[in-house]
Every structure is written in C-alpha cells, then in structure tokens.
Amino acid sequence: MEKPMKKPIEAYASFAILLIMTLVMFAAVVSRYVFNSSIVWAEELSRYLFVWFVFISASYAVITKAHIRVEALNMIIPKKIRPYVNLIGSFIWMLFSLYISYLGFQYAFNLYKQNATSAALNLPMGVVYLGIPIGYFLMAIRIFVVEILDVFVKRKEGEK
C-alpha cells in the first residue's frame, strides 16, 4: 500500500498567505461599504502578501508539475535522449532560480540597509522583497529534488 504524500511546507504557507490576504481584503471592503471608513494599510498589505504568495506558490508548482513547459522540443527529439534533454533543461532552470535568488537576496538586503519602508505599514521594504529570493531558492531546491533526482531514481528502478 502506497503512503499518502505529505504536503510540503509551501502548500501550507501559500494557503495561509492567501487566507490572510482574503480576510484583509474582505475586512477592507466591509469597512469601506458598511462603516463608510477605510483601512488605510489593507491594500498595501494585500499587495505585499500577493508577492509572497506568488513566489512561494511557484515553488509548490514545481512539486505538482504545474509549471508551463514548451513541449515542442520533446516531440521533435528521439525518445531515447528526451530524459537527458529534460535533465539539462531542469538543471538550467535550477541554476537560473539560484541566480535570481542570489540577486534577490542582495537586493532585499540593500533595501534593508537603506532603511526603506513602505508608506502605510512602515514595513521594511527588504522584508517585502525577501519573498522573491526565498521563493526562487525553494524552487531551486524543489527542482533539484523533483526534476533532477527523480531521473536518477527512475533510472535505478528501471535497472532492477
């Protein structure tokens, strides 16, 4: 009997961020149209949560294989070399994710050093932009585990 897969941390984090974002926006709408008063920081917080949601969810999309791919090349190349071409593509994708993560961490830390803050929440912008490199770093890890290690595990299972 196959064990059910545990949900990764990205699934719970994405759900929590989306839930908080929805509750904040709901409270803002109710406040504006029922009480005729607005929550000044609600739109800004929702925007920043959305940034975090997108990049954390991108990592989860690697696990569920939900990223869009160009399959035209797979249809042209012979079946024998497809796994190798896909492996090279995944490796390039992982390197790109690590590079963007590196640049994102540099950018977030520079913003943090400059004491840049958001308008309504007075939140350090370094924290806001930290979601991008964290998401890309998690994506690089998931690409390595799901895309690259799977090829070697499947190949070993095929040898048995």
Side-chain angles (χ1 to χ4, degrees):
M1 190 164 111
E2 200 173 309
K3 284 168 92 175
M5 237 175 92
K6 279 179 55 177
K7 285 210 185 261
I9 189 78
E10 293 95 330
Y12 294 111
S14 295
F15 176 77
I17 293 169
L18 187 61
L19 179 66
I20 293 167
M21 190 171 55
T22 304
L23 292 173
V24 167
M25 288 309 293
F26 178 76
V29 168
V30 168
S31 175
R32 177 166 294 191
Y33 291 106
V34 175
F35 301 113
N36 214 16
S37 172
S38 65
I39 303 173
V40 178
W41 49 265
E43 185 269 333
E44 187 175 279
L45 179 62
S46 293
R47 186 175 350 122
Y48 297 152
L49 286 172
F50 186 71
V51 169
W52 276 77
F53 172 75
V54 165
F55 290 100
I56 300 297
S57 297
S59 175
Y60 181 60
V62 172
I63 299 165
T64 59
K65 298 189 183 276
H67 279 278
I68 297 172
R69 292 178 179 243
V70 178
E71 294 294 327
L73 184 62
N74 266 346
M75 293 177 186
I76 298 170
I77 60 175
K79 285 186 179 182
K80 285 185 177 183
I81 63 169
R82 277 185 199 165
Y84 302 107
V85 172
N86 288 333
L87 183 65
I88 291 168
S90 295
F91 186 71
I92 291 169
W93 183 19
M94 183 185 71
L95 290 178
F96 175 77
S97 295
L98 286 171
Y99 181 66
I100 296 297
S101 181
Y102 170 74
L103 292 178
F105 277 119
Q106 278 188 328
Y107 186 69
F109 289 133
N110 283 339
L111 282 174
Y112 196 76
K113 279 194 270 181
Q114 294 171 2
N115 292 324
T117 58
S118 64
L121 290 169
N122 206 24
L123 192 68
M125 291 305 288
V127 173
V128 172
Y129 282 100
L130 204 55
I132 298 168
I134 288 173
Y136 269 101
F137 184 73
L138 290 172
M139 195 169 14
I141 292 169
R142 295 303 182 176
I143 292 166
F144 180 74
V145 172
V146 173
E147 299 284 334
I148 296 174
L149 287 183
D150 268 4
V151 171
F152 295 108
V153 170
K154 286 177 187 174
R155 190 172 296 140
K156 257 190 177 170
E157 287 174 359
E159 291 173 1
K160 290 181 183 179

